[in-house]
Amino acid sequence: MATSSGFDLVVIGAGPGGYMAALRASELGLRTALVERCSKLGGTCLRVGCIPSKALLSSTEAYVFARDRLPRSGIAAKGFGIEMSRLHARKEAIVEKLAQGIAFLMRQNRVEVLEGMGRIVGPHAVAVHMAEREETLETRSIVLATGSEPVELPVLPFDHDRIVGSTEALSFSEAPKSLLVIGAGAIGLELGSVWSRLGSQVVVVEVLPRIAAGFSPIVSKSLQRELEKQEIQFLLGTRVAGGEVKQTEVALQIEQGGKERTLVAERALVAVGRKPCHGGLGLAEAGVSLTAAGRVAVNRFWQTSLPSVYAIGDLIEGPMLAHRAQAEGRAVAELLAGKPAEVRYLAIPNVIYTEPEVASVGFSEEDFHVAKRPYRRGTAYFQANGRALAAEAPEGFVTILMDESSGKIAGMEIVGSRASDLIGTAALALETGATLASLARAVQAHPSFMEGVREAAFAALNASLSVRRSGVS
Ligand code: FAD
Ligand code: NAI
């Protein structure tokens, strides 16, 4: 087996965490190799996650908007329809373009990319199993960024045709007549929305009493109401007891309130979470410990129990989000190059890209209650926002929380069609320690969705219109 020595860093896994770590390390002068088993760089996020799902969400959102909302403005298209092959072709073209961009960045920054399976074979050695050969890379440090894979329900194993995970549900060649979605988290709600918009009858089965449980109850309720208007049905507090494929259908046994019944649909999407992907990495042999939940255990510098080995992204504890993985990738590379680095986890936004979108960042009211700390809350509704009405997007609201003792912005939640962008204001505020008064003072363009954020700030200051009139802005 060939050996290459002299690396400062070998990164295993080229998702948002891994490619960012490799890129930043190389920029900072470290000799870096990136090992990825797939020919296309970009990881779950680019190949079968964030990007293809958002491409489908954007196309189908525009379709529904044109079909249902534009006619109110007197604009109606004739011969309006869906060509599935073009929908998928556009999605794949976006993925391809971004993958090429990442490959270009690696070449430009002299990151040595190896296509193969990586495995730790010593504190400073990674074996790469490639199609034609095997090579060992000797390195000062190793970063593990091998991401995650879908959780399978033992009572409803994937057959990858009728009972599928998110990867297959991004590529159905036709909209199934009926689709059962198991799990009302980000994947279930986003992909459930895509297929519902394309004509599937979608029923979402969720074990918890509410959808989008990572958000506050009021956001869950508001989103559920909006999605129900779009004819998505929800069975909450419902357990999947079993299921089987019967010819061209899936029969799903569910249990709700002690009663069992069977649901039948053309396909079922299982979206009950993801688990870390570390099989075959040689962790146990190398002495890299796992947490009780099976993720790779790290300290606050992303260092594992084997000090020369680091881990980031979906592989470690925390929310499975691409921007978190990227932030950790950048930070770990900076630490390895001898620079100070940290990730402010509190300032990492969480978004579900339904219509309306939902987004949150920072502390929730529940956090303040638990900590018994005083806070103020302000809410503004998009139905009173001129731009939202003009854009036919009056649904939703902005809620902002202020820490009473410091006057600083502590958290924000948004339901609304531009939530994923607006939430950036609060992420910046948390990062910089901005006060609520400064957000209220900052004049926003009129009309704009950002005015909704500012109105929520005024409401939290308990001075909605009177303060503005008396000269704060
Ligand atoms: P990954 O992106 O999973 O990358 C890991 C890489 O490691 C993969 O390319 C894999 O092939 C490779 N690998 C694994 N083992 C080995 C090995 N032994 N040797 C070599 N290579 C290996 N997050 C968001 O923030 N926003 C979204 O909108 C969003 N949408 C999503 C939609 C879907 C349908 C899914 C499934 C996920 C979505 N996510 C989203 C989550 C996001 O994709 C992940 O949080 C993110 O990709 C994690 O990045 P990572 O770098 O840790 O790992
Ligand atoms: P999730 O953890 O977000 O949601 C899973 C849902 O399934 C939960 O509501 C859970 O209560 C429910 N569930 C679990 N077991 C069940 C059962 N047996 N029967 C019925 N319901 C059950 O996981 P999801 O949606 O699979 O997403 C995986 C990861 O991908 C998440 O961590 C998420 O952050 C990430 N992701 C992020 C996106 C975004 O940022 N917009 C989009 C898609 C995925």
Side-chain angles (χ1 to χ4, degrees), residues 281-335:
L281 268 181
L283 298 189
E285 300 87 326
V288 173
S289 308
L290 301 182
T291 64
R295 302 218 199 169
V296 174
V298 292
N299 64 18
R300 68 191 186 92
F301 302 111
W302 304 282
Q303 194 171 32
T304 70
S305 51
L306 186 61
S308 54
V309 177
Y310 296 74
I312 57 172
D314 283 9
L315 202 50
I316 65 173
E317 296 290 344
M320 290 181 166
L321 297 171
H323 42 292
R324 177 190 80 130
Q326 277 202 335
E328 289 172 349
R330 173 176 284 272
V332 81
E334 290 179 352
L335 284 180

Side-chain angles (χ1 to χ4, degrees), residues 47 88 141 143 216 227 263 267 271 367 443:
R47 285 195 311 266
H88 286 308
S141 309
V143 169
S216 70
L227 294 178
L263 301 175
R267 291 182 198 268
D367 293 329
V443 179

Side-chain angles (χ1 to χ4, degrees), residues 371-395:
K372 295 194 171 66
R373 273 171 56 193
Y375 68 97
R376 278 206 229 177
R377 182 190 66 203
T379 296
Y381 294 88
F382 286 119
Q383 63 187 1
N385 178 288
R387 186 69 195 282
L389 293 185
E392 287 271 7
E395 295 83 9

Side-chain angles (χ1 to χ4, degrees), residues 68-343:
D68 298 346
R69 301 207 179 194
L70 267 187
R72 285 184 218 160
S73 304
I75 302 170
K78 297 224 163 52
F80 191 59
I82 305 156
E83 212 179 303
M84 290 299 291
S85 58
R86 289 180 74 171
L87 185 79
H88 286 308
R90 173 181 173 272
K91 172 195 75 181
E92 278 146 27
I94 296 166
V95 170
E96 191 54 44
K97 183 173 181 176
L98 290 171
Q100 281 177 15
I102 296 169
F104 171 76
L105 283 174
M106 296 304 139
R107 281 196 302 278
Q108 192 189 39
N109 288 280
R110 295 195 177 78
V111 173
E112 295 180 40
V113 177
L114 289 93
E115 186 185 332
M117 283 293 290
R119 193 164 67 88
I120 305 174
V121 289
H124 299 283
V126 171
V128 187
H129 184 80
M130 290 172 273
E132 306 282 305
R133 63 198 173 91
E134 202 152 294
E135 187 169 337
T136 300
L137 309 178
E138 290 177 348
T139 176
R140 188 160 59 86
S141 309
I142 298 167
V143 169
L144 306 176
T146 51
S148 63
E149 57 200 6
V151 167
E152 189 167 42
L153 281 179
V155 293
L156 195 68
F158 295 124
D159 73 351
H160 302 288
D161 176 26
R162 298 278 154 195
I163 304 170
V164 302
S166 55
T167 299
E168 293 88 357
L170 286 167
S171 296
F172 292 150
S173 56
E174 291 299 330
K177 280 194 186 59
S178 47
L179 176 68
L180 290 168
V181 175
I182 327 296
I187 292 181
L189 297 176
E190 289 185 2
L191 294 183
S193 292
V194 165
W195 294 108
S196 159
R197 292 168 190 172
L198 291 171
S200 302
Q201 204 177 49
V202 174
V203 176
V204 182
V205 176
E206 166 61 54
V207 74
L208 297 177
R210 63 189 178 96
I211 71 166
F215 293 81
S216 70
I218 192 161
V219 167
S220 295
K221 195 172 262 179
S222 170
L223 180 61
Q224 183 180 338
R225 210 171 34 233
E226 293 303 331
L227 294 178
E228 280 170 346
K229 285 187 207 157
Q230 297 165 29
E231 295 180 5
I232 297 180
Q233 291 175 50
F234 293 96
L235 296 174
L236 304 181
T238 303
R239 200 177 60 83
V240 175
E244 59 179 324
V245 175
K246 284 187 178 161
Q247 289 160 355
T248 57
E249 287 178 331
V250 183
L252 186 75
Q253 277 89 51
I254 56 162
E255 193 235 84
Q256 192 182 35
K259 289 193 187 130
E260 279 209 13
R261 65 183 165 117
T262 303
L263 301 175
V264 176
E266 202 176 307
R267 291 182 198 268
L269 160 62
V270 179
V272 295
R274 295 178 59 86
K275 59 180 183 191
C277 173
H278 46 60
L281 268 181
L283 298 189
E285 300 87 326
V288 173
S289 308
L290 301 182
T291 64
R295 302 218 199 169
V296 174
V298 292
N299 64 18
R300 68 191 186 92
F301 302 111
W302 304 282
Q303 194 171 32
T304 70
S305 51
L306 186 61
S308 54
V309 177
Y310 296 74
I312 57 172
D314 283 9
L315 202 50
I316 65 173
E317 296 290 344
M320 290 181 166
L321 297 171
H323 42 292
R324 177 190 80 130
Q326 277 202 335
E328 289 172 349
R330 173 176 284 272
V332 81
E334 290 179 352
L335 284 180
L336 291 171
K339 293 182 174 301
E342 69 165 323
V343 174

